[in-house]
Amino acid sequence: MGNGKSTLMAGQKPTVFNNAIVRQQTISAYLFLLPAMVFFVGFVVIPMVMCLATSFFNYSMGKPFEFIGLNNYLEMFKDQVFLKSLRNTFVLVAVAVPTVTAFSLWVSCAIYQMHAIKRSFFRCVFYLPVVTGTVAVAVVWKWMFNKYTGLLNYILNATGILNENVSWLGDAKTALWCIILILFTTSIGQPIVLYVAALGNVDPSLIDAGQVDGATPFQVFWHIKWPQIMPTTLYILVITTINSFQCYALIQLLTSGGPDNSTSTIMYYIYYEAFKLYRYGYGNAMGVILAIIIALLSALQFKVTGSGATD
Amino acid sequence: METKKSLITPGTVLTNIVLALLSVFFIFPLYWIITGSFKDPIAVNASPPVWFPTEPTLDNYVRLLSNPAMKWLWNSVLLSVVAMALTCLTAAMAGYVLAKKRFVGQKVIFSIMICAMALPKQVILVPLLKEMSALGLHDTLWGVILPTVGWPFGIFLMKQFSETIPTEMLEAARIDGAGETRTFVDIVLPMVKPGLGALAIFTFINSWNDYFLQLIMLNSSRNLTISLGIAKLQAEMSNDFGLIMAGAALAAIPIITVFLMFQKYFTQGIAMGAVKG
């Protein structure tokens, strides 16, 4: 950093002094880092390494702990429930990520120029399901989706759209879509906050210039705002993808993966294998695959949205 | 811009109507939780539904408190406050040196943190459980707190905020003979206060709502958090919606209050965290 140099007095031996400063800086830097590193290494890095390592072992309760190479990985691709969970996960991600991104962009464009109080109000409203917490959100939706006392069936019957009660969470055809709907409501809060901040940072003189030149609102958006908010879009795509892949609590609380595994996702299935069947090694192997899929998708999103969008 | 604002076009009217309808849709679940918690069993199961409980009852709350609900609430508070305090302290220290010092291994450490952040954190829950069992921390609040503090997002956020400290100020302090600790406490901490505010509220809400981690780590009834408690009630008496809504209200109201009080910090912090450094 060379800041030390400026404190040097004339006549001192610069190199020795400098080395001493660098050494002292390094030591104090590590002392400052130490508490955070203890937690990070102890409870993030070590479990990650253990996850990878034990995925090559037969690590199950009541069975001998033995090295089985890639067997856990090979088993996965013959496991019908895993393949179904993989399919469900992809449906969920493929629907949730684009809709969350597009919808939050639309809302943000609509509210970011509003009066501060109004903007703040809408931002809070859309953030509300996130803050309320997954469990509270899940139990109230479970009630609203209930076949007999649920609000949804009442409204749809009263307005004549349906003429019988549907078991929304109990039917393999509708259950996953119910989960996606709730996931959607709990996912758009953060992207809206991010987009509103990003749109507020777009250089107003560029927008004015565009309008003077007679650009339509859509042209202003597409040629001026969209390129400037690209880094935010990328970030939103990545975090929404990660969150959607990890969708677990809603499923556990609403359907337990059923009916007939129609709402089982990889995350849910990992939990089921590891904590219900006590097959830790197999669960960890699926975890590794999930991490690889997410890493690949994130890399792809970086590529597609252009490497110029990030640092 | 001024001319645009005074213009009321069919487009803006339509946008406002759609936004209003969406707001109703997003607020409604919370409304249904709160009103539901005051309904008696007849009102809960009525068809057509009772839109507003005209004869509110506290019976659901009385029954809720026959469970250790206050203990669950206390566990949630304790867990979130401790996780918040530890995260803020460790992240502020680490973020400061990562932003403002140059030392051997700096790049490597920061890169590892960024990579870890991109991985799904739920994937490590299985080994984490094993580790906590080995440490004797399974079924204790520490089993939830320690991994929360370990997650590097806070360090990343505090690094972003620490970048804004003018280097001249740190240098001036050193010339005045202030030691590293003094510099950190007297100069760095006041400068990164908004960042700390954001991180505090962010960590508080996240640890309050981190259902999956709590579910893995906590078992015995008296160690549950409020989230786990409601999930347990739901599993045991799935159709007693009045009772479950009372539990949901008890879990949601404190955290929503905290959020509304500090939401300015919160929105700032999320936006700052996204600025890639």
Side-chain angles (χ1 to χ4, degrees):
Chain A
M1 192 157 268
N3 301 332
K5 277 177 200 154
S6 57
T7 63
L8 284 180
M9 308 277 175
Q12 282 181 317
K13 284 178 247 166
T15 45
V16 175
F17 197 71
N18 241 347
N19 280 344
I21 284 184
V22 167
R23 197 177 326 123
Q24 195 235 330
Q25 283 238 358
T26 302
I27 292 171
S28 71
Y30 273 97
L31 285 177
F32 271 81
L33 269 176
L34 188 68
M37 294 311 283
V38 168
F39 288 102
F40 174 61
V41 173
F43 305 107
V44 177
V45 176
I46 290 177
M48 276 179 181
V49 174
M50 275 167 64
C51 178
L52 183 64
T54 55
S55 70
F56 301 108
F57 284 83
N58 184 2
Y59 181 22
S60 309
M61 192 177 264
K63 291 220 177 97
F65 184 69
E66 56 177 357
F67 183 76
I68 52 167
L70 290 173
N71 277 4
N72 281 329
Y73 291 90
L74 296 175
E75 179 183 343
M76 243 179 266
F77 295 97
K78 291 182 219 126
D79 181 342
Q80 288 307 314
V81 182
F82 173 78
L83 294 175
K84 194 163 187 178
S85 305
L86 192 65
R87 214 196 104 237
N88 290 336
T89 310
F90 274 110
V91 170
L92 194 138
V93 171
V95 175
V97 175
T99 46
V100 165
T101 312
F103 183 81
S104 55
L105 180 59
W106 177 79
V107 171
S108 308
C109 285
I111 70 171
Y112 90 102
Q113 281 177 321
M114 284 178 177
H115 185 269
I117 294 173
K118 232 174 133 188
R119 187 177 59 216
S120 186
F121 168 78
F122 281 120
R123 217 165 34 187
C124 281
V125 164
F126 291 112
Y127 211 92
L128 206 51
V130 187
V131 186
T132 308
T134 313
V135 180
V137 166
V139 294
V140 71
W141 277 101
K142 190 161 190 174
W143 182 19
M144 294 197 284
F145 279 134
N146 187 281
K147 185 174 179 182
Y148 304 104
T149 60
L151 202 56
L152 189 65
N153 274 330
Y154 170 75
I155 292 175
L156 292 178
N157 279 304
T159 51
I161 295 171
L162 284 181
N163 45 28
E164 56 178 353
N165 280 353
V166 175
S167 173
W168 297 100
L169 294 168
D171 187 328
K173 284 196 288 291
T174 52
L176 187 61
W177 295 101
C178 296
I179 302 270
I180 293 176
L181 175 71
I182 306 172
L183 180 69
F184 175 81
T185 69
T186 59
S187 297
I188 68 160
Q190 194 170 344
I192 288 176
V193 173
L194 292 169
Y195 266 139
V196 167
L199 286 165
N201 286 336
V202 173
D203 188 353
S205 63
L206 283 176
I207 297 173
D208 287 344
Q211 281 164 347
V212 170
D213 289 346
T216 63
F218 179 75
Q219 283 171 328
V220 170
F221 172 77
W222 189 245
H223 293 291
I224 299 170
K225 295 178 188 168
W226 177 246
Q228 289 206 33
I229 59 172
M230 207 55 186
T232 308
T233 304
L234 176 65
Y235 182 73
I236 289 171
L237 283 174
V238 172
I239 56 167
T240 312
T241 306
I242 294 178
N243 285 343
S244 310
F245 263 111
Q246 298 194 80
C247 176
Y248 164 79
L250 287 176
I251 293 164
Q252 194 248 359
L253 290 161
L254 289 169
T255 61
S256 303
D260 189 24
N261 297 315
S262 63
T263 56
S264 176
T265 58
I266 305 181
M267 205 59 236
Y268 183 79
Y269 192 51
I270 291 175
Y271 168 83
Y272 181 79
E273 285 286 333
F275 297 112
K276 295 283 185 222
L277 306 181
Y278 302 108
R279 297 190 60 208
Y280 304 116
Y282 188 45
N284 284 341
M286 289 192 280
V288 171
I289 292 294
L290 182 62
I292 292 173
I293 293 174
I294 293 179
L296 287 178
L297 270 179
S298 301
L300 184 75
Q301 285 165 341
F302 267 94
K303 266 254 163 2
V304 171
T305 51
S307 51
T310 53
D311 56 325
Chain B
M1 290 247 288
E2 282 73 24
T3 47
K4 234 175 91 183
K5 263 178 195 159
S6 58
L7 253 156
I8 298 173
T9 64
T12 55
V13 172
L14 188 68
T15 306
N16 276 309
I17 293 174
V18 175
L19 280 175
L21 289 175
L22 283 166
S23 301
V24 172
F25 178 74
F26 273 78
I27 296 173
F28 188 79
L30 187 64
Y31 172 83
W32 211 230
I33 289 174
I34 295 170
T35 51
S37 72
F38 291 110
K39 288 178 187 169
D40 59 38
I42 297 165
V44 162
N45 294 315
S47 183
V50 177
W51 295 102
F52 186 83
T54 43
E55 288 162 34
T57 166
L58 284 175
D59 179 55
N60 295 317
Y61 287 95
V62 174
R63 286 188 301 136
L64 180 67
L65 293 178
S66 69
N67 294 284
M70 288 326 264
K71 174 75 175 141
W72 296 338
L73 195 62
W74 170 243
N75 284 341
S76 281
V77 172
L78 195 64
L79 156 83
S80 310
V81 168
V82 176
M84 174 182 85
L86 281 175
T87 306
C88 284
L89 182 67
T90 58
M93 290 167 67
Y96 158 58
V97 290
L98 283 172
K100 284 290 162 187
K101 302 262 173 193
R102 191 157 295 173
F103 54 93
V104 186
Q106 184 178 23
K107 278 231 168 86
V108 180
I109 290 176
F110 190 63
S111 309
I112 294 175
M113 285 180 176
I114 294 293
C115 289
M117 254 165 62
L119 290 172
K121 67 173 162 184
Q122 299 181 344
V123 160
I124 63 170
L125 286 178
V126 181
L128 209 46
L129 171 71
K130 292 277 133 190
E131 193 184 349
M132 289 304 171
S133 305
L135 294 172
L137 296 174
H138 180 239
D139 202 20
T140 70
L141 294 182
W142 288 110
V144 182
I145 293 169
L146 300 179
T148 310
V149 179
W151 196 247
F153 174 79
I155 302 172
F156 176 71
L157 188 73
M158 290 318 295
K159 178 179 177 283
Q160 300 291 111
F161 275 93
S162 300
E163 308 269 12
T164 61
I165 304 171
T167 308
E168 298 77 39
M169 282 185 72
L170 301 173
E171 226 163 283
R174 193 178 315 142
I175 293 170
D176 289 348
E180 290 293 347
T181 319
R182 271 277 309 281
T183 312
F184 179 70
V185 174
D186 291 347
I187 298 181
V188 177
L189 283 185
M191 295 286 298
V192 296
K193 231 181 196 168
L196 276 178
L199 182 59
I201 180 73
F202 197 80
T203 313
F204 189 90
I205 294 180
N206 274 1
S207 27
W208 185 282
N209 287 336
D210 196 348
Y211 169 73
F212 199 2
L213 180 60
Q214 296 167 7
L215 176 72
I216 302 299
M217 290 296 168
L218 305 172
N219 290 127
S220 39
S221 176
R222 50 173 283 109
N223 287 339
L224 300 185
T225 60
I226 187 73
S227 298
L228 292 176
I230 312 160
K232 182 175 163 255
L233 288 182
Q234 192 203 234
E236 283 166 6
M237 26 195 116
S238 57
N239 284 322
D240 192 346
F241 290 112
L243 173 71
I244 296 166
M245 291 310 125
L250 189 66
I253 301 299
I255 196 77
I256 291 174
T257 313
V258 170
F259 170 71
L260 291 179
M261 280 165 65
F262 298 102
Q263 64 117 347
K264 195 185 76 192
Y265 284 114
F266 193 69
T267 45
Q268 238 175 26
I270 293 187
M272 192 76 181
V275 184
K276 293 250 163 188

